[in-house]
Structure formats: structure tokens, C-alpha cells
Amino acid sequence: MRKMTPTMKMLGIALLLFLPAPIFIVFGASFNGSGYIQFPPESWSLRWYVEAFTDPRWGRAVLTSLWIAAVVAVLITAISFLAAYFTLRYAPKISGWLELAIFSPLFFPHASMGVAAVALMASMGVVGTPIAIILAHLMVTIPFSYRPIHVALKSVDPDLIRAAEVMGASELRALWDIILPICRSGILTSLLFTGIISFDEVTVTMFLIGPEITTLPVQIFTFIQDDASPVLAAISTLSVIITFIAILLLERVAGLSFFVQRQSS
Amino acid sequence: MNTGEKPTLAKGLMLLPALIVLGLFFTSVIMLFSNAFVDRGGFSLKYFEQILARPDYHVVFYRTVITSIIVALLAVLLAYPIALLLWRSEKHRNMLLIVVLVPWLVSLVVRTYGWIILLGPKGFVNAFLGWVGVIDTPLKLMFNDTGIIIGLTHVLIPFAVISILASLLSIEENLEEASRVLGAGRWQTFKTIVFPLSLPGVFTSLMVIYLACVGAIVTPLLLGGITEKFVGSQIYQEVMATFNMSKAAAWSICLLSLSFVSLVILKFIERRALRGQE
């Protein structure tokens, strides 16, 4: 039975279309001409986009989120790669323990993680600085980075490495010319996936911002509570577009199969 | 890719950055405990007593747990048909997967904001129902449990789709064919082959969604308002409004224990449900 009954198919499609619905609503509301949120809009205008681009607070938040996401993605991917490479090649015995430690943040409710992070960052005196946000994002993203890289590295045939090194390649050369190309899609998945997570993270980040720094999602959150100006819809649409581009890029360069693989490690 | 070489200390340094990140995480957990259990330099249960003594706080815990269970079940129920659809449509799977991934990865705040526009007193749903003439006064869809349940369920369905789909994709095709050849109907095949084999994905979803719900802050705060408190929104207020870190830490530890107990119960149910498989 490779086919579904038409009723099930319709049900599946209807439910599937329900998923992006609120995003389209935000999209529609961003072209609203009146001074408060209305759906469907009575008149159309681009005034909220003009406001979003001219208000320096939004530009700053977008840039902050982008550069933090880039730094976090590169750092955590490098960190996970080194750890996975070392354990898989030299110390497979500790692999299980390392995974247990790396995946343990997943079992932590985000609210508790936020309080734990702010307790730690406050004692280090870095709350309200990019350092606090970056460190917290590294803790949040490490499982999502380690998994694709670990899966990719596991598929490398040790004979290839032995062959390269017997022929006189240094370890670095073998890494660069053999292992990295084989793990390409795992590494790219880690980079883009963790970048997206960092760019959109809000529950932990909102404890760590300060007067000097805030990220885009946290600023949207603060503004929703203060006043519900439609400029938020325009800003939200921009944030959706950035995430969407990153996902399309991920599909292009690495494929999406990672997301639907059953992990057997 | 183990090449059988012995690790040297210098090579072990490759592990260091990851250990630092993990070390920071575990230090933060220790800080959480020391904030909650230490008062004026000594061990104290003061903050836990403050929480447990308040009946209105019990309601907060109760609401959080019940809502999270409802959301987890609802999300899995609604995700299952989508997962089946994606499983069956090999040709368009990638495109459909993007339709699932985008709402999953777009910021929580943005998705919740969409629901505010939809569910608010002047929102789309009320405007539409009023226009059709079904209602005279706007329905209260926000700032109550309904709003929280709708928002959280919608936010978490994509994860359930992905995790159930992963289970479905790992089912061997010939199992299903064999069942059909032996004369089982569509429904019987689903009931005896497909569904039981998708259970690992179902349980993963239930667990992850439940955890995400009990630890949620943004959605309950924005859709539930300040009257319908969630553990998450309570914690947020302790930190950001009353600056009571110790009490926030005590709340967080209650939340942690709560999720831990729930996970153990869920694992127990899972083991019973999966008995006989493998």
C-alpha cells in the first residue's frame, strides 16, 4: 500500500498547511496600512518596512543576532568536530560518556537552563555582554552540532586514513584532504543548523541581555509586551526570511536527510 | 574510524574546548543549586518552603503539567497524519519537509506573535466569526489556557512530524508488503505493523514536547498573560521583575524534578508499550 486513502491525504495536507499559517498572517499584517494590527488589512502600505529600516534599534538587533549566530555556528562546529574526531579515532571507549554529557542539556527544561545560565554569567560578571550570549548559545547548540558531525565522521573508513598516512601524509593533511571532504555535509548541517538555532533562540537569551546588547527575537519579545505596533510584523517577516534562506541553503548544500534519520549511535 | 592508535596527551587537547563548554553547563547547574539551597552562607530550604506554602503556586504547577500533557498528546495526534503524508510522498518529500522545517525553525516569538494577531479580541478569528454572524461578542481565545494550548501545540507539531517520520522511514518495506500479501487490509496493516513500529518516534515526540512545554516561557507569557501563570512565566517574573534569583533557582529546581519524575513515568509507559518488539 504505497498510497494513502484520499481522506487521510486531505487530512494530512490540511494539517500541513496549518503549520505555516501564523507566519503568513504575520506576513499579511506587515503590509497593513493602519496604525494597529488588523487582519485582513484594510489598506496596504510599506510604511512599517520603512520604519523597520530607519529605526536604528532594529538594524542593530538584526546585526547583533547575525554576527552572534555566525560566531556560535563556527565555534561550536569546530569544537564538536575536534571532540568527535578525537574520540572516534583515538578513544572510542569514552565516546558513550561524551555523548551522554553532550546530550544532557537536551533534557533540561529551557526555563531552568535560562536561570542556570544567568546564575553562572552573573558570577562571571558578563551578563549584558555578547560573551554571555555566545557562551549560553554554545551550551544550547552543542548537541545539535555534535550529532551530524559524529554521524558523518563515523562513516569514514579507517583504512582511508591509514592509507593516507602510510603514503606519508601528515595527520593534518589526511584531515584536510580526506576526512573533511567526506564529512562535508555533516559539517555544513552543523554550521547552518546551529546558526539558525542561535539566530532564533529566545528563552535562554532573554535572561542575558542588557542595556548595551539585545538580539532580534528578544527585542521582538520585549516590543510585543510593550506596544503592539505593526512594525513588529515587518521585523518578524524579515526574521522569517533570514531563517528561510538559511534552510533553503541547508537543503541545497547538505540535504535534509539528517533531520529524518533515526539515530542508531 | 578508529585506527587503533593510542591517544597522546597533546592529541587529547582536541577534547578540551568541548569539555570547557560542558564544564560551563555543569557549573551553571551547580550555581543553580547553590542559589536555591544556600541562604546567608548556610544550607536552607527557605525558598522551597516559600514556594510550597502557597496554594496558588500549586495551581501553577498543576496547570503547567496538565497543559503540557494535553499539548504533547494533541501535537502527536495532529502530527501523525502529516508524517504519514510525508512518508507516502517520496517525490515531493523534500519540498513538504521544508514546509515543516520552516515553522519549526522560525523564532518562537514570531510564531507566537502570529497567534496573537489571530486570536486577539480584534484578531482574525474573532473578526471572521463576527462577520459570519456566529458570535456577537468576541470569544476569549487569548490570555487563558485555550490560547496557551493552541500556541504551544502549533509550535511543537513540527518536531513531532520529524520524529515520527524518522520512525516511519526506518520501517522495512517488505514488512508491509508481506502483511498485504497475506491478506491483511489497509487498516489492519496500519494497526499491526506500521503504528507499532512508529512508536519510538511517538514516544520521543511526547518526551521532547512535554519537556519543551513545562520549560516554556515565551508562549505562556504572551498568550496566557499574567493571570494564567505557567512555571516558566513565574520563573521569568522572579528573575526580571522581583530580581529574586534564589527563588527563581528554587522554582527551576522544582521544574527540573518535575520533568525528571515525568520522564521516568513516560519511560516506564514506553517500555510497557514496546514490550515484545525487538
Side-chain angles (χ1 to χ4, degrees):
Chain A
M1 61 160 223
R2 299 308 299 172
K3 272 206 176 123
M4 293 170 88
T5 59
T7 353
M8 271 314 277
K9 201 167 179 180
M10 289 314 290
L11 180 66
I13 293 173
L15 287 168
L16 179 71
L17 292 179
F18 162 71
L19 294 182
I23 297 174
F24 286 119
I25 297 290
V26 172
F27 185 64
S30 70
F31 297 105
N32 182 3
S34 63
Y36 56 92
I37 280 294
Q38 223 178 4
F39 194 89
E42 276 174 1
S43 57
W44 302 93
S45 117
L46 287 172
R47 60 189 274 211
W48 304 114
Y49 285 93
V50 175
E51 191 177 323
F53 280 110
T54 45
D55 187 337
R57 285 176 300 181
W58 290 112
R60 212 181 307 138
V62 173
L63 287 181
T64 308
S65 280
L66 280 175
W67 82 255
I68 286 184
V71 170
V72 167
V74 170
L75 275 180
I76 202 66
T77 303
I79 290 171
S80 298
F81 183 85
L82 287 176
Y85 172 73
F86 174 78
T87 38
L88 282 172
R89 177 160 183 186
Y90 296 106
K93 272 185 196 145
I94 64 161
S95 180
W97 290 104
L98 186 69
E99 271 171 58
L100 191 69
I102 282 177
F103 293 137
S104 58
L106 287 179
F107 297 95
F108 239 71
H110 266 76
S112 306
M113 211 153 149
V115 179
V118 76
L120 174 72
M121 302 305 168
S123 75
M124 290 162 63
V126 292
V127 175
T129 68
I131 296 175
I133 300 175
I134 290 172
L135 288 178
H137 283 194
L138 292 179
M139 297 183 216
V140 171
T141 52
I142 193 166
F144 302 101
S145 155
Y146 189 80
R147 211 168 63 176
I149 291 177
H150 181 88
V151 171
L153 272 171
K154 246 188 151 168
S155 71
V156 177
D157 184 350
D159 283 342
L160 283 178
I161 307 171
R162 285 201 199 96
E165 289 178 358
V166 163
M167 308 288 262
S170 65
E171 179 167 5
L172 216 57
R173 178 88 197 261
L175 253 176
W176 189 255
D177 282 340
I178 300 191
I179 300 173
L180 279 182
I182 296 178
C183 299
R184 181 178 164 274
S185 79
I187 291 167
L188 289 170
T189 303
S190 160
L191 277 174
L192 283 159
F193 193 28
T194 56
I196 295 170
I197 295 174
S198 165
F199 182 76
D200 289 319
E201 212 294 324
V202 57
T203 314
V204 176
T205 315
M206 64 189 185
F207 288 105
L208 304 169
I209 55 147
E212 301 290 316
I213 189 169
T214 186
T215 65
L216 183 63
V218 177
Q219 186 157 308
I220 296 176
F221 173 74
T222 328
F223 270 63
I224 295 177
Q225 288 184 304
D226 291 349
D227 75 316
S229 155
V231 71
L232 283 173
I235 285 294
S236 298
T237 305
L238 293 177
S239 126
V240 171
I241 291 172
I242 294 175
T243 307
F244 185 61
I245 291 174
I247 293 173
L248 284 186
L249 200 63
L250 181 62
E251 201 263 339
R252 284 280 125 216
V253 300
L256 300 173
S257 57
F258 161 73
F259 291 97
V260 289
Q261 258 162 20
R262 193 108 206 122
Q263 270 69 43
S264 52
S265 55
Chain B
M1 56 169 274
N2 178 21
T3 43
E5 295 150 275
K6 282 271 165 286
T8 59
L9 196 60
K11 298 232 160 93
L13 284 178
M14 286 192 272
L15 210 49
L16 193 62
L19 292 181
I20 292 174
V21 173
L22 294 175
L24 280 172
F25 173 70
F26 289 111
T27 315
S28 77
V29 177
I30 294 168
M31 301 288 293
L32 189 69
F33 277 81
S34 72
N35 262 291
F37 284 105
V38 177
D39 186 52
R40 286 195 221 99
F43 177 83
S44 152
L45 288 172
K46 186 177 124 192
Y47 301 106
F48 290 93
E49 279 158 12
Q50 278 177 8
I51 292 172
L52 294 176
R54 292 265 301 267
D56 54 329
Y57 286 171
H58 296 185
V59 178
V60 173
F61 276 109
Y62 184 68
R63 173 184 298 120
T64 306
V65 171
I66 298 291
T67 311
S68 302
I69 293 174
I70 295 174
V71 169
L73 293 173
L74 212 58
V76 168
L77 195 71
L78 296 174
Y80 210 102
I82 306 180
L84 282 176
L85 178 76
L86 264 71
W87 182 42
R88 283 312 185 203
S89 37
E90 272 150 82
K91 238 199 279 169
H92 308 290
R93 192 181 293 141
N94 248 16
M95 201 188 75
L96 297 178
L97 200 55
I98 290 181
V99 180
V100 177
L101 283 177
V102 171
W104 182 39
L105 294 173
V106 159
S107 185
L108 197 63
V109 201
V110 173
R111 287 178 285 162
T112 308
Y113 179 59
W115 282 109
I116 296 177
I117 300 177
L118 272 165
L119 302 177
K122 282 186 176 174
F124 181 56
V125 174
N126 271 316
F128 179 75
L129 291 179
W131 181 72
V132 177
V134 184
I135 51 165
D136 297 327
T137 47
L139 293 176
K140 204 167 153 52
L141 299 167
M142 229 172 93
F143 301 128
N144 57 20
D145 289 341
T146 319
I148 301 183
I149 291 176
I150 295 177
L152 281 176
T153 306
H154 176 267
V155 161
L156 294 163
I157 287 176
F159 178 82
V161 173
I162 289 165
S163 140
I164 295 170
L165 180 62
S167 268
L168 289 173
L169 287 173
S170 67
I171 298 177
E172 271 185 61
E173 261 178 56
N174 14 4
L175 274 181
E176 236 188 310
E177 256 161 54
S179 154
R180 296 285 283 174
V181 167
L182 291 171
R186 209 186 272 277
W187 168 244
Q188 206 183 358
T189 305
F190 176 77
K191 204 177 66 179
T192 52
I193 308 280
V194 177
F195 183 70
L197 287 175
S198 70
L199 277 177
V202 168
F203 277 104
T204 310
S205 314
L206 287 175
M207 185 184 81
V208 172
I209 293 174
Y210 178 83
L211 275 178
C213 272
V214 290
I217 299 179
V218 172
T219 314
L221 207 59
L222 294 180
L223 291 174
I226 37 168
T227 48
E228 306 298 307
K229 281 210 185 85
F230 236 57
V231 174
S233 38
Q234 187 70 43
I235 288 177
Y236 182 73
Q237 274 183 333
E238 296 291 357
V239 178
M240 307 305 270
T242 53
F243 304 107
N244 193 338
M245 264 308 289
S246 297
K247 209 167 157 197
W251 272 101
S252 306
I253 287 168
C254 293
L255 177 59
L256 260 182
S257 344
L258 187 73
S259 7
F260 185 71
V261 171
S262 314
L263 282 190
V264 171
I265 296 174
L266 191 63
K267 270 281 159 212
F268 177 74
I269 300 174
E270 181 181 356
R271 195 165 303 169
R272 295 209 56 156
L274 294 183
R275 190 180 290 168
Q277 282 188 27
E278 322 207 356

